[in-house]
């Protein structure tokens, strides 16, 4: 297998040999890692359950964690999930890598589609699965929403959507999601939405694909799955708590597969994650912080405030030269869009992760503005 160089390694190579302006404090806006402290009630739950390290965790997850995730889904999306329709996971990265291999392993000519630009695990999973790839291109011209080409989708075994989207911050509405659900039924492919940014929104809560499945008269979620994570909503990426939910026929077989993978979450982490999934107040507080950051960026850069995520998909003339100049003159790191896409998608954009405090964000966007004015 030959995997593509990861975007952050590409960035290191791009900036190699460049000396940043040492008169300015470095600001890193490359990675979607919240820089806010994990709420104390979560860390306290972790510590108070440390005695559980003496026990092996279940691959299927403890019932307390399962119930907490189901409670979150009911509260947020008004969807009741049965135990059979849910698997707690060790974050979502491992799911995104191993689920396509599980699903496509019996296909003679596997084919997988995913949004482009993308989280690179999608591509890695396709390579590991030996799958042909269909890119669902997100461009300025199509409003960063994939155009539907039924003749191409008909050959797919798995289609991965990612809305709210990383890196473009676009949101797919319910009507469009319903169209995708109907396509998954019509052409019998599995449709999975990566919903890890569903809780970071500025006004209207984005829908879940499982809501759209019910709306499309598919209440058993046939062929439909979603994944979500605690990392962004709770500023706790180190907890590695996520889940996959939907079609119980698929999940039953996937659960059997997971018993061989060995990715069960340690019990203290599960208990801490359960406390986080059950609570919604801390999520509101984090959401307000990201909204304030967007408002600061809007005021300084004049950008349109995105509906969700904490990313700015900033249009520039040359994303590689801009990234190098911003680092050299203003000691800020951002990620070139071309590192996140294929076939020319992402060129002319940089991804800016507004994951810092309001004060640091203000300083950062002022420097970005100065660099834009120079270019």
């Amino acid at each position: 297998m030959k995997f593509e160089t990861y975007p952050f390694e590409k960035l290191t190579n791009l900036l190699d040999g460049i000396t940043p302006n040492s008169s300015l404090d470095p600001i890193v806006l490359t990675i979607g890692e919240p820089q806010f402290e994990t709420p104390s009630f979560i860390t306290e739950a972790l510590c108070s359950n440390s005695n559980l390290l003496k026990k092996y965790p279940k691959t299927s997850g403890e019932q307390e964690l399962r119930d907490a995730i189901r409670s979150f889904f009911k509260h947020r999306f008004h969807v009741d999930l049965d135990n059979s329709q849910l698997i707690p996971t060790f974050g979502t990265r491992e799911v995104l890598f191993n689920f396509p291999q599980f699903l496509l392993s019996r296909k003679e000519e596997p084919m997988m589609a995913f949004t482009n630009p993308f989280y690179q695990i999608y591509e890695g999973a396709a390579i590991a699965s030996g799958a042909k790839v269909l890119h669902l291109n997100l461009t300025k011209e199509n409003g960063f929403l994939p155009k539907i080409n039924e003749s191409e989708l008909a050959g797919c075994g798995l289609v991965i959507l990612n809305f709210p989207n990383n890196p473009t911050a676009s949101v797919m509405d319910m009507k469009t999601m319903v169209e995708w659900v109907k396509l998954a039924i019509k052409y019998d492919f599995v449709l999975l939405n990566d919903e890890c940014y569903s809780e970071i929104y500025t006004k209207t809560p984005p829908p879940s694909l499982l809501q759209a499945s019910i709306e499309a008269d598919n209440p058993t979620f046939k062929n439909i799955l979603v994944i979500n994570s605690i990392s962004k909503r709770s500023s706790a990426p180190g907890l590695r708590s996520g889940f996959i939910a939907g079609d119980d026929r698929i999940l039953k077989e996937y659960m059997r597969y997971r018993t061989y993978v060995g990715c069960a979450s340690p019990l203290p982490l599960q208990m801490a994650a359960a406390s986080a999934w059950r609570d919604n107040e801390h999520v509101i507080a984090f959401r307000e912080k990201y909204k304030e950051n967007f408002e600061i960026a809007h005021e300084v850069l004049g950008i349109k405030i995105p509906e969700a995520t904490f990313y700015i998909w900033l249009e520039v003339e040359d994303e590689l030269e801009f990234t190098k100049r911003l680092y050299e003159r203003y000691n800020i790191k951002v990620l070139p869009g071309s590192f996140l896409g294929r076939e020319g998608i992402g060129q002319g954009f940089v991804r800016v992760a507004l994951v810092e405090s309001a004060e640091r964000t203000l300083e950062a966007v002022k420097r970005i503005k100065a660099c834009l004015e120079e270019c």
Side-chain angles (χ1 to χ4, degrees), residues 63-120:
Q63 193 60 47
E64 184 172 346
L65 177 58
R66 285 174 156 270
D67 288 345
I69 294 172
R70 290 167 63 201
S71 175
F72 154 75
F73 215 86
K74 173 68 174 176
H75 176 269
R76 173 63 173 83
F77 299 112
H78 310 293
V79 173
D80 283 308
L81 293 173
D82 291 336
N83 250 334
S84 62
Q85 296 172 321
L86 169 75
I87 299 175
T89 61
F90 197 56
T92 54
R93 181 171 177 165
E94 58 98 346
V95 182
L96 287 166
F97 188 68
N98 66 47
F99 178 77
Q101 296 174 65
F102 152 77
L103 185 73
L104 301 175
S105 62
R106 298 176 186 175
K107 301 281 187 181
E108 289 188 10
E109 296 182 355
M111 183 173 175
M112 176 175 162
F114 49 83
T115 46
N116 177 37
F118 50 84
Y119 179 33
Q120 196 155 319

Side-chain angles (χ1 to χ4, degrees), residues 15-235:
L15 301 180
D16 185 42
I18 298 176
T19 301
N21 185 346
S22 60
S23 67
L24 297 170
D25 290 336
I27 302 178
V28 179
L29 304 176
T30 57
I31 188 169
E33 180 183 69
Q35 296 303 296
F36 304 110
E37 290 297 319
T38 303
S40 59
F41 77 91
I42 299 175
T43 58
E44 288 166 5
L46 177 64
C47 293
S48 65
N49 286 283
S50 61
N51 64 303
L52 295 177
L53 285 172
K54 65 185 179 183
K55 296 178 181 252
Y56 280 117
K58 299 175 184 174
T59 301
S60 59
E62 295 301 307
Q63 193 60 47
E64 184 172 346
L65 177 58
R66 285 174 156 270
D67 288 345
I69 294 172
R70 290 167 63 201
S71 175
F72 154 75
F73 215 86
K74 173 68 174 176
H75 176 269
R76 173 63 173 83
F77 299 112
H78 310 293
V79 173
D80 283 308
L81 293 173
D82 291 336
N83 250 334
S84 62
Q85 296 172 321
L86 169 75
I87 299 175
T89 61
F90 197 56
T92 54
R93 181 171 177 165
E94 58 98 346
V95 182
L96 287 166
F97 188 68
N98 66 47
F99 178 77
Q101 296 174 65
F102 152 77
L103 185 73
L104 301 175
S105 62
R106 298 176 186 175
K107 301 281 187 181
E108 289 188 10
E109 296 182 355
M111 183 173 175
M112 176 175 162
F114 49 83
T115 46
N116 177 37
F118 50 84
Y119 179 33
Q120 196 155 319
I121 293 299
Y122 305 163
E123 182 182 73
I127 293 170
S129 303
K132 180 182 177 182
V133 170
L134 170 65
H135 288 132
L136 307 174
N137 295 333
L138 310 180
T139 66
K140 183 179 178 180
E141 290 71 28
N142 64 25
F144 303 110
L145 292 170
K147 288 186 176 180
I148 292 175
N149 186 321
E150 293 196 29
S151 62
E152 291 181 328
L153 290 171
C156 288
L158 172 64
V159 175
I160 298 179
L161 302 178
N162 171 214
F163 294 98
N165 184 254
N166 167 24
T168 71
S170 59
V171 172
M172 183 176 285
D173 63 27
M174 178 70 80
K175 181 180 177 182
T176 306
M177 279 191 175
V178 168
E179 291 179 24
W180 279 95
V181 171
K182 290 180 178 179
L183 284 172
I185 301 302
K186 180 178 180 180
Y187 294 109
D188 197 28
F189 61 75
V190 173
L191 178 65
L192 182 150
N193 192 30
D194 179 350
E195 300 182 353
C196 287
Y197 292 90
S198 68
E199 304 314 289
I200 311 300
Y201 54 86
T202 50
K203 288 184 180 179
T204 305
S208 169
L209 188 66
L210 295 192
Q211 288 177 298
S213 185
I214 294 172
E215 188 75 14
D217 198 25
N218 184 32
T220 62
F221 311 128
K222 181 179 185 294
N223 289 3
I224 308 300
L225 296 163
V226 301
I227 63 168
N228 211 323
S229 166
I230 215 165
S231 300
K232 320 300 180 183
R233 77 182 288 274
S234 298
S235 193

